[in-house]
Amino acid sequence: MSEYKLKKELRVAISGKSGCGNTTVSTMLSEKLGIKLINYTFRQLAAEKGLTLAQVIENAKNDDSYDVAVDTHQVALAQAEPCVLGSRLAIWMLKEADVKVYLIASDDTRAKRILNREGGDLQQIKDFTAMRDREDSARYMKLYQIDNNEYEFADLKIDTATRTPEMIVEMILDYLEKRDFIEKN
């Protein structure tokens, strides 16, 4: 049983660039709220297609169907029931989200987190992450006219560099309580 009860249907969209804590925060928040987590990304698509993440990213450069498949699938899932949608484009794509959260961290912080999660060489991770950020931004603009560096409209903008995932989830829960979406069980 979750710690909170929904007072009304709730869809929370959480976005941020790789290494900001999207997946961790989205997962923890969905567990606390007892609602479905939707986090369907290139990583899951790669696993389903038997490809590496790098291969999917490379293929997506010339084949828009990869992005469209991921984005339309996750939005359809999110529209179906109360949920936490965690994805790079969640706050832009899920127009009907009740609360939109954007997670922020510096390039160095993100690279160090990815290193801790996946191992490897820090400089290579920084280079790959910078390349991925540039390519993602260009694709989002081309496909959807979304500038993923423009997130001022988000309800909450949280710098994750000095906060634990638990602290971030508490900030979101406090906001949801103040907005009368949830109450403690």
Side-chain angles (χ1 to χ4, degrees), residues 113-176:
R113 287 180 180 161
I114 294 167
L115 176 68
N116 289 338
R117 180 177 70 210
E118 298 172 12
D121 175 76
L122 183 59
Q123 190 56 52
Q124 286 179 340
I125 290 168
K126 283 182 181 183
D127 295 344
F128 179 80
T129 303
M131 176 272 301
R132 185 175 177 193
D133 288 347
R134 282 190 308 276
E135 291 179 359
D136 285 351
S137 293
R139 253 190 355 271
Y140 302 153
M141 184 56 73
K142 176 184 153 205
L143 286 174
Y144 307 114
Q145 293 71 54
I146 289 173
D147 179 349
N148 69 323
N149 294 305
E150 290 293 324
Y151 49 83
E152 285 307 310
F153 64 92
D155 300 298
L156 289 172
K157 294 166 277 301
I158 301 172
D159 186 339
T160 67
T162 59
R163 295 179 173 100
T164 65
E166 293 80 8
M167 292 164 72
I168 296 162
V169 168
E170 283 305 315
M171 290 173 72
I172 298 168
L173 290 168
D174 287 347
Y175 182 83
L176 293 172

Side-chain angles (χ1 to χ4, degrees), residues 94-113:
L94 189 60
K95 306 262 188 259
E96 56 272 274
D98 298 293
V99 177
K100 297 177 181 182
V101 180
Y102 192 81
L103 303 179
I104 304 160
S106 71
D107 293 347
D108 277 352
T109 298
R110 295 187 306 124
K112 288 174 185 165
R113 287 180 180 161

Side-chain angles (χ1 to χ4, degrees), residues 7 24-25 32 34 40 63 71-72 74 77 81 83 95 109-110 151 158-159 162 168 178 182:
K7 295 176 88 175
T24 303
V25 169
K32 290 255 187 197
Y40 187 80
D63 185 349
D71 298 332
T72 57
Q74 67 186 3
L77 290 170
E81 64 186 296
C83 65
K95 306 262 188 259
T109 298
R110 295 187 306 124
Y151 49 83
I158 301 172
D159 186 339
T162 59
I168 296 162
K178 285 184 181 114
I182 62 171

Side-chain angles (χ1 to χ4, degrees), residues 39-106:
N39 185 18
Y40 187 80
T41 65
F42 271 180
R43 199 175 297 280
Q44 283 81 15
L45 187 65
E48 288 173 12
K49 291 185 172 283
L51 302 170
T52 66
L53 176 59
Q55 286 172 313
V56 168
I57 291 168
E58 187 62 31
N59 292 350
K61 288 180 193 176
N62 302 308
D63 185 349
D64 295 342
S65 71
Y66 285 87
D67 281 285
V68 173
V70 167
D71 298 332
T72 57
H73 183 63
Q74 67 186 3
V75 169
L77 290 170
Q79 290 170 333
E81 64 186 296
C83 65
V84 175
L85 172 60
S87 82
R88 303 270 187 277
L89 292 180
I91 67 171
W92 292 273
M93 297 294 286
L94 189 60
K95 306 262 188 259
E96 56 272 274
D98 298 293
V99 177
K100 297 177 181 182
V101 180
Y102 192 81
L103 303 179
I104 304 160
S106 71

